[in-house]
């Protein structure tokens, strides 16, 4: 039995593989928009395991695998044995004998790593406390669609050094761009938790305006991620000065894009006139989850396909 390829964190794919994946995404998206059937996954099953809420991730994986001719099964911890203490290693053995690929949204990264270590089929990270690699695939693809290659560009991350931030930092190392990070004191990047090779591809700024200055992308995320709700009140106070507003977008490049993984809280991490304004491409970003994940699933199951 061959060892499956997993996508548990961004750096699981090389820069060449990512270039391929983005080219492939463009083709898959074009075919789908043109009503051309492409069904390489007939009879194949994706199992999706959710321990946290989701709208985009569930929809994009379920619709995506169906559009490739396969089917999806949704499991959540509330109504499966996973929530009643069945060891994750046992669950991995069983689930991976009944399916062809698995997507998991869970808490600690360790859970998905243990699952993958016992899985016969590829496992995809659909968000953990540490990382959200599928989101950053979609974000970078969206930038490429609008502005071209991301190499050498500057991304300003404003707010919490959370799973989405960590993944941007990993992506910067793999694809050779820079991240300017500004977090409130006490919420700084933890390089080890972010799984970084070094500190060459990011710089921290005390003032979010300095992080945004000259950026090609300005991006942020909720101040309180899933699993951290007990800290909500404290975070609301600590993050007040880290809202992406029109003034911040004005110091970025004139053609800067605003990205947000969604769901967003207007009036907290982002002002309404930014997320609903001319720099924002958040709806393309959300849609691109669908297309880029189809390319990812195809790659993990079928490897490189000759581009037509
Ligand atoms: N961005 C994202 O992953 O959204 P969901 O939580 O709705 O899946
Ligand atoms: N950082 C957020 C992302 C949600 C898609 C969270 O983990 O809740």
């Amino acid at each position: 039995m061959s060892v499956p390829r997993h996508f548990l964190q961004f750096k699981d794919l090389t820069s060449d593989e990512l270039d391929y994946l983005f080219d492939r995404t463009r083709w898959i998206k074009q075919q789908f928009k043109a009503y051309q059937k492409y069904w390489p996954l007939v009879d194949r099953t994706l199992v999706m395991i959710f321990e946290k809420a989701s709208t985009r991730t569930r929809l994009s994986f379920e619709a995506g695998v169906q559009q490739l001719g396969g089917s999806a099964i949704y499991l959540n911890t509330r109504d499966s044995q996973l929530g009643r203490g069945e060891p994750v290693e046992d669950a991995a053995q069983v689930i991976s004998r009944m399916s062809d690929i698995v997507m998991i949204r869970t808490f600690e990264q360790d859970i998905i790593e243990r699952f993958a270590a016992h899985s016969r089929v590829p496992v995809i990270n659909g968000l953990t406390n540490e990382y959200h690699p599928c989101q950053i695939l979609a974000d970078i693809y969206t930038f490429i669609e609008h502005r071209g290659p991301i190499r050498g560009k500057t991304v300003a991350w404003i707010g919490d050094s959370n799973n989405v931030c960590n993944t941007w930092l990993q992506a910067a190392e793999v694809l050779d761009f820079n991240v300017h990070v500004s977090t409130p004191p006490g919420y700084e990047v933890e390089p080890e938790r972010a799984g970084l090779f070094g500190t060459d591809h990011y710089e921290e700024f005390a003032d979010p305006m300095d992080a945004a200055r000259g950026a090609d992308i300005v991006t942020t995320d909720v101040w309180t991620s899933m699993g951290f709700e007990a800290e909500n009140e404290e975070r609301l106070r600590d993050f007040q000065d880290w809202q992406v507003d029109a003034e911040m977008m004005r110091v970025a490049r004139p053609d800067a894009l605003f990205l947000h993984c969604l769901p967003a809280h207007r009036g907290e991490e982002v002002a309404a006139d930014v997320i609903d304004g001319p720099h924002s491409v958040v709806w393309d970003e959300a849609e691109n989850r669908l297309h880029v994940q189809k390319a990812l699933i195809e790659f993990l199951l079928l490897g490189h396909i000759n581009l037509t």
Side-chain angles (χ1 to χ4, degrees):
M1 199 182 66
S2 61
V3 181
R5 275 297 290 275
H6 304 299
F7 188 53
L8 306 181
Q9 44 185 308
F10 199 87
K11 65 184 181 189
D12 288 346
L13 293 177
T14 65
S15 145
D16 283 352
E17 287 170 340
L18 288 160
D19 286 345
Y20 164 79
L21 207 74
F22 294 136
D23 282 348
R24 193 67 191 156
T25 301
R26 189 186 308 274
W27 183 85
I28 284 177
K29 182 171 179 176
Q30 278 166 357
Q31 292 291 109
F32 183 68
K33 297 272 182 193
Y35 283 74
Q36 294 297 314
K37 278 197 183 95
Y38 178 57
W39 286 356
L41 299 187
V42 172
D43 288 339
R44 301 294 128 189
T45 304
L46 164 75
V47 168
M48 307 183 295
I49 302 171
F50 283 92
E51 294 208 75
K52 292 176 177 172
S54 169
T55 298
R56 280 145 287 266
T57 301
R58 177 176 178 183
L59 260 175
S60 54
F61 271 101
E62 190 161 343
V65 79
Q66 283 173 15
Q67 290 163 16
L68 293 173
S71 57
I73 295 175
Y74 171 83
L75 292 178
N76 71 52
T77 28
R78 287 181 297 283
D79 58 18
S80 66
Q81 298 291 4
L82 290 161
R84 299 183 61 251
E86 180 167 15
V88 68
E89 292 80 4
D90 293 1
Q93 293 277 4
V94 173
I95 291 168
S96 70
R97 281 178 185 239
M98 298 191 192
S99 62
D100 300 281
I101 188 160
V102 179
M103 190 248 43
I104 305 180
R105 168 167 285 196
T106 187
F107 292 89
E108 288 78 29
Q109 181 72 10
D110 177 60
I111 299 172
I112 197 168
E113 303 273 353
R114 281 162 52 212
F115 191 104
H118 293 82
S119 172
R120 291 184 161 208
V121 302
V123 178
I124 297 174
N125 183 342
L127 181 147
T128 57
N129 290 349
E130 287 82 0
Y131 308 120
H132 197 3
C134 293
Q135 183 65 53
I136 303 308
L137 285 182
D139 290 14
I140 293 173
Y141 181 73
T142 304
F143 182 81
I144 294 170
E145 264 192 330
H146 284 270
R147 297 283 182 265
I150 197 164
R151 279 186 186 79
K153 302 292 185 196
T154 299
V155 177
W157 176 270
I158 311 296
D160 191 16
S161 64
N162 63 12
N163 42 10
V164 179
C165 173
N166 287 342
T167 311
W168 270 115
L169 295 171
Q170 278 198 4
E173 289 190 336
V174 181
L175 292 173
D176 196 19
F177 59 90
N178 305 300
V179 186
H180 289 178
V181 183
S182 182
T183 64
Y187 297 91
E188 291 87 358
V189 172
E190 297 172 54
E192 202 171 320
R193 184 171 159 85
L196 303 182
F197 296 119
T199 54
D200 289 353
H201 287 81
Y202 77 96
E203 199 177 331
E204 295 190 87
F205 293 83
D207 183 342
M209 289 294 281
D210 291 336
R213 194 158 285 117
D216 299 279
I217 294 174
V218 179
T219 185
T220 185
D221 186 12
V222 291
W223 290 341
T224 305
S225 287
M226 293 181 280
F228 297 83
E229 290 80 2
E231 300 172 12
N232 197 28
E233 272 186 39
E234 199 182 335
R235 283 170 171 267
L236 270 175
R237 281 194 302 274
D238 293 346
F239 282 80
Q240 277 309 312
D241 295 334
W242 274 262
Q243 180 184 97
V244 177
D245 58 13
E247 199 189 341
M248 213 177 272
M249 291 308 300
R250 260 195 296 278
V251 300
R253 280 177 58 98
D255 65 347
L257 297 182
F258 173 76
L259 296 175
H260 191 308
C261 63
L262 307 176
H265 296 73
R266 288 169 177 77
E268 292 186 15
E269 76 276 6
V270 60
D273 60 350
V274 170
I275 193 167
D276 300 319
H279 294 278
S280 176
V281 288
V282 297
W283 312 127
D284 287 346
E285 179 187 2
E287 179 190 328
N288 281 333
R289 291 288 302 278
L290 175 69
H291 307 298
V292 82
Q293 287 163 195
K294 285 164 73 175
L296 174 68
I297 293 170
E298 181 199 59
F299 177 69
L300 294 177
L301 286 176
L302 303 175
H304 284 78
I305 308 282
N306 285 333
L307 293 174
T308 52

